[in-house]
Amino acid sequence: MLQKKICMLGAFGVGKTSLVRRFVDTIFSDNYLTTVGVKLDKKTLAVGAETVNLILWDIAGEDDTSAVRTTYLRGSAGYLLVADGTRASTLDVACSIHSRAEAEIGRVPFMLLVNKCDLRSEWAIPESRLDELAALGWTIRPTSAKTGESVEAAFQEFAERAVR
Amino acid sequence: MEVLPPTVAESLRSLIYQQRALAYVLVDHSLVLVRAGGYLEHYGLMKLELFEPACSQMDFLEGLLPLAETPFLIRSMEMPSGRVADVHFFADCDGVWILLLDVTTEHGEARLVQQKAYDMTLLSEREARLIEQLEAANRALAESREDLLRTHRRLDRELQDAAHYVQSILPPPFSEPFVADWRFVPSSELGGDAFGYHWVDADHFALFLLDVCGHGVGAAMLSMVVANMLRSKGLANTNFRAPDEVLTALNRVYQMEDHNDLYFSIWYGVYRPSERRLKYAAAGHHPAILVAGEPADRGRIETLHARGPSLGIAPTATYTCEEHLVPSPSRLFVFSDGTFEVGKPDGTMLDFAEFLDVLAAPVAAGTSELDRLLDFVRGMHGPGSLEDDFSIVKLAL
C-alpha cells in the first residue's frame, strides 16, 4: 500500500489539529488544546484506483519564540499550510514557513488552507492578498474545521496531488 | 568522552532505561527491522516483526530513512499508546538506531505552560482586533454624527429662515387712527399661531388670530397659508366684512383630511370705527377680551363669546356672527391659548382670572400691558421656553 507523509504547518492556534481531527475522526471540539512537538495520525484514502495511507504530521505551531523545525519535513510528499482567516498575521507566518520548507526539502506539493471560514464576516485577511498568492500558483482553499466545510474535499484534493 | 566509573555508568543506564522507559530498534540499510528491544509496549509498538520492512510497522519512520543527518532528534512525538517520546536517531555500520525516551511528564508540563501563553496571546490579539473594530466603529459614528450635525445645522438655518419669514409677514404695529400692537413668542422656531389685521375698506378693519393644532413646519405652513388667504381676501364669493361667512368659507376649504389631519381654531372680527361696532365670530377659539376704561385706571372686563367648532373638523359646520358696541375708550385683546394656559413650576396651571387681572390692571404711561403680560406669564412659568406659542394682539379703540 502506498504511504505518504504529509505535514501540517502554520502559526499556533490556526486549527491544524482541529482540521486533522475533523478529517480523520470527523469530530470537532471548541476547546483549544495546543500541540507540543509532533502528533501523528493516519488516514486511508482511495486515490483513483490506489489506496493510500496518509501519515499526517501535526507539527506544533510557530510562535514568536519557536520556529517550526523544518527538518521534520524530510521525506514529506507535501505539506498543508494553515492560516486563520480571522488573524491576518497567520498568513504571514504561513508564507514564511513555506519559504523555509522549500529551502529544506525543495519543491513539493503544498496547499494553503484558510481556516475558520465559518467566521467569514470576521476575516481579517484581505481577499487581495489571497488573490496575489493564487496568481503565484498557490492552491488556496477556505475551510472550517468547526463545520467541516471543505475539509474532506481539500485533503482529498491534496492527496491526489501528492500521489501524482 | 570521559570514561565514567562502572558504578556511575550502570546507575545512569538503569536510570534512563527504567525511568525514561527506553525502547530501541535497529533498521538496517535496506530499511528492514533487524533488532528491537526495551519498553516497546510502553509506546504501543507491539507485534513488531523482525526482518520485515520497518516503515510499514512504525508510521513515524515514513520518509525519514535513510537518515539525512546523524544524530537526528524528534522532540515530543506522541506515540500510538498516547505516551510522548523524544525519538533519537543515529547511524552506525549496522544501520540506523532509533531510541525512544519517555517525556510524557515534561510534555504535559510544557503543554500547560504553552497553553497559558497561547491563550493569553490569542486573547490579547482578539482584544486588539476588537479595539480596532471599536475604533473603526467610533470613527464611522463620528463621521455619521458630523453628517447629522451638518444636516441639523442646515435644517436649523432653514427653520430660522422660515421663522424670519413668519415674523416678516406679521403686520406692523401702528398708532393711527387707533393703536394696533402685538407680541408673538413662538415656543419653537416654528409654531402654529398666526394673526393679522388689515382694512377691508375705509370703514371696516379686520382682525384675526388663529392657532393650528401642534407646532413645527406643518402647523406653521398651514397657519401662514390661512393668514395669507385672509390678508389677500382670497376666498371666492365671501364677504370679508361678515365674520360668520369668512369662517364658514374657510371651513369648507381647510378640511383636516385634505390638510395632513391639521385643524385650527380662529377668532375673526371686523371693527367699524364709524359706529364703534365690532362684529366677530369664533371657531373653537376662546373669547376675546375687551377692557373698557382709561388705561390709567383699572378697566372693566367684557368677554366677547362666540360659538363654533374648530375649522377643519366638520365640513357642514356653521358659525354665528356676534356684535358688540365698543365703549370709548377700550382695548380689545385677541390671543392664543398659549398666553394663559401656562404651567407653573409647582405643576399647577395659571388661573385665567389672574390673567384677566393683569390685562385689566392700570397701565403706567409709557409702558405696555402686552410687555407686562409677557413678563407675568414668563414669571409664572419659570425658566425655559414656554410650552406653547404666545400670541396676543391689542387694539386700543
Side-chain angles (χ1 to χ4, degrees):
Chain A
M1 187 189 294
L2 209 52
Q3 198 150 268
K4 293 288 178 185
K5 172 183 173 181
I6 305 292
C7 291
M8 304 291 294
L9 303 171
F12 73 93
V14 294
K16 297 180 292 298
T17 305
S18 296
L19 283 167
V20 173
R21 288 267 69 73
R22 168 63 74 179
F23 176 55
V24 175
D25 302 322
T26 60
I27 55 170
F28 174 81
S29 168
D30 261 323
N31 293 329
Y32 168 59
L33 285 177
T34 182
T35 302
V36 174
V38 182
K39 189 174 183 317
L40 260 57
D41 273 287
K42 185 158 77 174
K43 172 96 172 182
T44 304
L45 287 181
V47 176
E50 289 205 78
T51 303
V52 182
N53 268 344
L54 288 188
I55 310 297
L56 297 166
W57 281 51
D58 179 12
I59 299 175
E62 184 159 298
D63 61 31
D64 291 341
T65 56
S66 63
V68 164
R69 291 167 196 268
T70 49
T71 52
Y72 291 3
L73 272 78
R74 286 174 193 166
S76 298
Y79 52 87
L80 287 163
L81 297 164
V82 184
D84 175 349
T86 67
R87 293 157 62 206
S89 62
T90 61
L91 182 60
D92 300 330
V93 174
C95 292
S96 164
I97 293 174
H98 169 64
S99 303
R100 284 176 277 139
E102 210 165 64
E104 180 72 31
I105 60 168
R107 285 175 178 258
V108 295
F110 73 96
M111 183 185 274
L112 173 65
L113 304 182
V114 187
N115 197 27
K116 306 191 185 176
C117 71
D118 52 297
L119 302 173
R120 197 128 203 179
S121 61
E122 296 175 30
W123 271 26
I125 296 177
E127 283 293 328
S128 58
R129 279 216 62 196
L130 298 178
D131 291 344
E132 284 166 17
L133 293 172
L136 293 173
W138 287 40
T139 304
I140 302 168
R141 297 288 177 264
T143 56
S144 169
K146 185 169 187 175
T147 64
E149 184 181 338
S150 303
V151 175
E152 177 126 21
F155 274 95
Q156 179 72 35
E157 180 187 356
F158 189 67
E160 286 166 8
R161 287 179 55 198
V163 168
R164 211 183 296 149
Chain B
M1 189 196 294
E2 185 185 351
V3 178
L4 297 172
T7 315
V8 174
E10 177 56 27
S11 169
L12 197 58
R13 190 192 71 80
S14 168
L15 209 66
I16 290 174
Y17 187 73
Q18 288 173 13
Q19 292 192 359
R20 290 294 182 190
L22 173 66
Y24 62 89
V25 294
L26 175 63
V27 180
D28 72 8
H29 300 296
S30 326
L31 307 186
V32 170
L33 178 66
V34 292
R35 201 165 162 186
Y39 294 97
L40 288 166
E41 296 85 356
H42 182 76
Y43 301 103
L45 299 174
M46 285 83 77
K47 298 177 185 169
L48 292 182
E49 291 188 21
L50 297 180
F51 310 111
E52 291 291 333
C55 294
S56 59
Q57 300 188 69
M58 289 170 280
D59 293 335
F60 66 91
L61 294 180
E62 180 60 44
L64 288 177
L65 301 179
L67 278 184
E69 61 180 287
T70 181
F72 178 58
L73 168 64
I74 298 175
R75 289 190 185 280
S76 297
M77 174 175 274
E78 198 174 313
M79 304 306 291
S81 67
R83 309 298 296 183
V84 180
D86 278 353
V87 186
H88 297 261
F89 297 77
F90 63 90
D92 67 5
C93 57
D94 296 324
V96 177
W97 289 91
I98 299 146
L99 309 184
L100 283 77
L101 294 173
D102 188 295
V103 291
T104 306
T105 306
E106 292 84 343
H107 175 269
E109 290 166 357
R111 189 175 187 164
L112 279 177
V113 172
Q114 185 170 293
Q115 180 87 44
K116 282 273 181 209
Y118 284 179
D119 281 348
M120 289 296 292
T121 308
L122 290 173
L123 209 61
S124 62
E125 279 182 10
R126 179 153 185 77
E127 187 184 14
R129 277 203 306 278
L130 286 174
I131 288 171
E132 198 176 305
Q133 286 169 4
L134 204 61
E135 284 173 350
N138 274 341
R139 280 194 297 276
L141 205 61
E143 281 172 23
S144 157
R145 184 174 173 275
E146 195 52 45
D147 283 347
L148 273 176
L149 278 174
R150 272 195 292 274
T151 305
H152 178 76
R153 281 194 287 266
R154 181 175 58 76
L155 288 174
D156 207 38
R157 276 197 303 275
E158 289 176 6
L159 275 177
Q160 283 174 11
D161 288 347
H164 288 148
Y165 171 73
V166 170
Q167 296 265 2
S168 73
I169 66 165
L170 294 176
F174 60 76
S175 54
E176 290 295 337
F178 46 81
V179 169
D181 197 5
W182 50 262
R183 296 293 180 272
F184 175 57
V185 182
S187 59
S188 54
E189 283 90 346
L190 288 175
D193 284 5
F195 56 82
Y197 42 72
H198 54 273
W199 290 98
V200 181
D201 58 36
D203 196 29
H204 289 86
F205 184 77
L207 163 67
F208 63 88
L209 188 146
L210 64 105
D211 180 359
V212 178
C213 64
H215 303 280
V217 176
M221 284 177 74
L222 180 58
S223 66
M224 287 302 102
V225 166
V226 175
N228 280 330
M229 172 80 82
L230 292 173
R231 194 173 297 119
S232 60
K233 300 192 271 294
L235 289 165
N237 304 318
T238 304
N239 178 5
F240 281 85
R241 298 173 194 82
D244 51 338
E245 274 191 46
V246 171
L247 297 198
T248 302
L250 277 178
N251 185 52
R252 275 199 304 270
V253 175
Y254 291 103
Q255 280 300 300
M256 61 190 291
E257 61 263 28
D258 301 325
H259 291 86
N260 199 28
D261 287 337
L262 292 172
Y263 59 92
F264 56 99
S265 70
I266 186 169
W267 190 97
Y268 184 95
V270 176
Y271 177 61
R272 199 163 182 197
S274 60
E275 297 178 356
R276 295 193 68 80
R277 187 180 300 276
L278 177 67
K279 288 185 177 179
Y280 61 93
H285 207 84
H286 47 268
I289 297 294
L290 195 70
V291 179
E294 290 293 342
D297 302 328
R298 172 162 291 277
R300 190 179 71 255
I301 297 285
E302 294 178 14
T303 306
L304 306 185
H305 289 285
R307 282 189 189 165
S310 291
L311 296 189
I313 294 173
T316 55
T318 55
Y319 299 89
T320 53
C321 183
E322 307 290 342
E323 281 193 26
H324 197 86
L325 281 176
V326 178
S328 181
S330 295
R331 283 159 289 150
L332 172 66
F333 296 99
V334 182
F335 42 88
S336 65
D337 54 8
T339 53
F340 62 87
E341 287 180 353
V342 176
K344 297 180 187 177
D346 65 3
T348 62
M349 298 297 288
L350 175 66
D351 189 357
F352 191 62
E354 291 179 86
F355 170 81
L356 293 180
D357 196 46
V358 176
L359 281 184
V363 183
T367 65
S368 164
E369 62 271 69
L370 298 183
D371 291 332
R372 183 176 64 194
L373 182 70
L374 182 55
D375 288 345
F376 170 75
V377 165
R378 280 180 166 151
M380 286 291 118
H381 177 269
S385 300
L386 299 174
E387 276 79 32
D388 201 357
D389 298 346
F390 179 99
S391 307
I392 185 166
V393 182
K394 177 186 87 169
L395 298 184
L397 305 169

